[in-house]
Structures are given as C-alpha cells and as structure tokens.
Amino acid sequence: MQVNPSSVKAESIRVLRTHFVTQHQTLGRRALALCAPAKGAGCTFVAANLAVALAQVGLRTVLIDADINAGGADFPIKFDPSTRGLSDFLRSGDMTISQLTQPAGIENLFVIPCGAPPTRAEELLGKDQFRTLVMTCMRDFDITLIDTPPAGQYADVRRIASIAGYAAIVARKDQTLFKEVKTLTKELTLDRVEVIGAVFNES
Ligand SMILES: Nc1ncnc2c1ncn2[C@@H]1O[C@H](COP(=O)(O)OP(=O)(O)OP(=O)(O)O)[C@@H](O)[C@H]1O
Ligand SMILES: [Mg+2]
C-alpha cells in the first residue's frame, strides 16, 4: 500500500481507524460506505488505507470496489486484469461470493475487485444480488468497507450507501466545497443512511 507506516499520513489513518472502531464497530455496525461529493477527493485512497489499517489490528476486513464504472483504474490494490469482479458477478450470476473475494496480500484483508466496466452500472448495482453480496460480507467479515463512485457523477452512491446503512464522506482540502458535503449528507440522510462523519483529506 501507499502509506509509509511512520509518516504523518499513516498517523492520520490510525486516528481514523481508532475513531471508526470506537464509534462504529464496537456498536456492532459492520459496514461502511466511503463516499465523496466529486471526483478526486481521495475516497478510494481513504477506503483502501482504512481497510489496511483495520486488517492490521486483526479485524477481518473486506473492501468492495463498487466504483464499477472506473474499472479499477485508480484502485491502489492491483489484481491481474483477468480477475473477475463485482460487475462480472452481477452480470453473469454464475459466480459464487467466495470466488469473488480475493486475498489482498495483507493478513486479514480481502478485496472484491470491481470487474470489467459495465454499460449500465446503475442497473447492475440495483440488483438484489448486490444487496445479498453486501449482507453476506457483513456476516462473514468483521468489517465491510465499500468504495463508491463520486456522488456528483453517478447516482450509484446513494444506492450503495443505503445498503451499507452507514457512510463517511471524504472531502479534499482546496477542492471539495462545504455545500457539496452538506448536500450529500442531506441526500444520504433522506435515504436513511446514517452519516457517521466526514474525513478531511488534507493532501
Ligand atoms: N492523502 C493523500 N495522500 C497522497 N495521495 C492522495 C491522498 N488522497 C488522494 N491521493 C491521490 O489522489 C488521487 C485521487 O484520489 P482517489 O482516487 O482516492 O480519489 P477518489 O475520490 O476515489 O476519485 P474518483 O472519484 O475518481 O474515484 C489518487 O492518485 C490518490 O492516490
Ligand atoms: Mg475512487
């Protein structure tokens, strides 16, 4: 992963992990969608680094790359391009959930890659199989983190977050507007998603 364990950034991720564990996981909540109002806020970066940090303290963690339009381009944990993923699972229906879950090369950390970019992502993520997948992950893992597409670009984020039930919003310094965070919080709340907090990405 990208974080040097002794850097300030790594320290910020550890603080986020502590917050997440004490405020969220100890209450028996098992899933969290990481959401951002617009492209490039660092949603994937935070999701992946938080997943690594949680795995490092012994929590069996699965990170679902649900930004299926992006085809894994910016996803920091790389897999062989032939590895099938979420979109393939939702499209074909011939894969089991255990076939989808890939070890990430770090103890306790597993990833569900996004798979080949689909033509109609919204339709795929709206399928019951997606909900079933998230529910199964919540049963089989201590923590299910879901990386979502930018909210301003696709409606998928609201669907994904409402399945997880809980969301954290990633905002980036000098880039994300406060009103965008407010709007997204309002939309998610309307969808009965509990927004547990915002992560201010200072880099
Ligand atoms: N705190 C950080 N330190 C260093 N690099 C970062 C940090 N946050 C984000 N980046 C880098 O900025 C770029 C955009 O981040 P990322 O892909 O996580 O954003 P995103 O919100 O997921 O974007 P998209 O909406 O396109 O999926 C990536 O190259 C990522 O590695
Ligand atoms: Mg992303």
Side-chain angles (χ1 to χ4, degrees):
M1 274 300 306
Q2 302 183 352
V3 162
N4 167 353
S6 60
S7 72
V8 174
K9 251 179 250 163
E11 182 51 29
S12 312
I13 292 289
R14 281 195 289 266
V15 169
L16 178 62
R17 172 182 65 197
T18 304
H19 182 75
F20 174 82
V21 170
T22 55
Q23 305 286 315
H24 193 68
Q25 201 248 341
T26 48
L27 295 175
R29 302 168 175 177
R30 301 176 81 86
L32 183 73
L34 275 303
C35 307
K39 225 177 144 40
C43 188
T44 300
F45 182 90
V46 171
N49 282 283
L50 178 61
V52 170
L54 290 166
Q56 282 171 341
V57 290
L59 292 164
R60 249 173 78 78
T61 304
V62 63
L63 172 61
I64 304 177
D65 179 1
D67 189 358
I68 58 179
N69 286 293
D74 292 329
F75 201 68
I77 303 168
K78 296 291 179 201
F79 294 95
D80 184 292
S82 64
T83 308
R84 297 172 81 202
L86 178 59
S87 60
D88 308 298
F89 167 78
L90 296 173
R91 204 171 14 222
S92 70
D94 69 350
M95 294 172 76
T96 63
I97 292 177
S98 57
Q99 281 174 323
L100 258 187
T101 314
Q102 308 292 333
I106 292 169
E107 200 179 352
N108 296 315
L109 181 59
F110 298 82
V111 173
I112 295 184
C114 63
T119 41
R120 290 193 297 272
E122 263 185 53
E123 213 171 273
L124 287 185
L125 292 166
K127 286 187 163 189
D128 283 346
Q129 287 100 310
F130 181 59
R131 178 178 292 277
T132 307
L133 170 67
V134 174
M135 296 299 153
T136 306
C137 288
M138 284 163 68
R139 191 194 62 204
D140 293 352
F141 292 88
D142 296 320
I143 308 278
T144 299
L145 291 182
I146 312 178
D147 180 29
T148 66
Q153 221 164 342
Y154 304 105
D156 305 340
V157 62
R158 294 178 65 174
R159 184 170 298 114
I160 298 166
S162 63
I163 294 173
Y166 300 94
I169 296 179
V170 179
R172 193 157 192 175
K173 187 182 175 195
D174 300 330
Q175 193 173 313
T176 310
L177 299 175
F178 179 63
K179 73 169 186 204
E180 293 175 323
V181 175
K182 248 173 88 176
T183 304
L184 180 54
T185 305
K186 209 183 277 176
E187 287 171 352
L188 292 172
T189 307
L190 276 175
D191 294 340
R192 297 173 198 219
V193 176
E194 188 171 327
V195 178
I196 67 158
V199 178
F200 185 58
N201 184 4
E202 290 194 61
S203 277

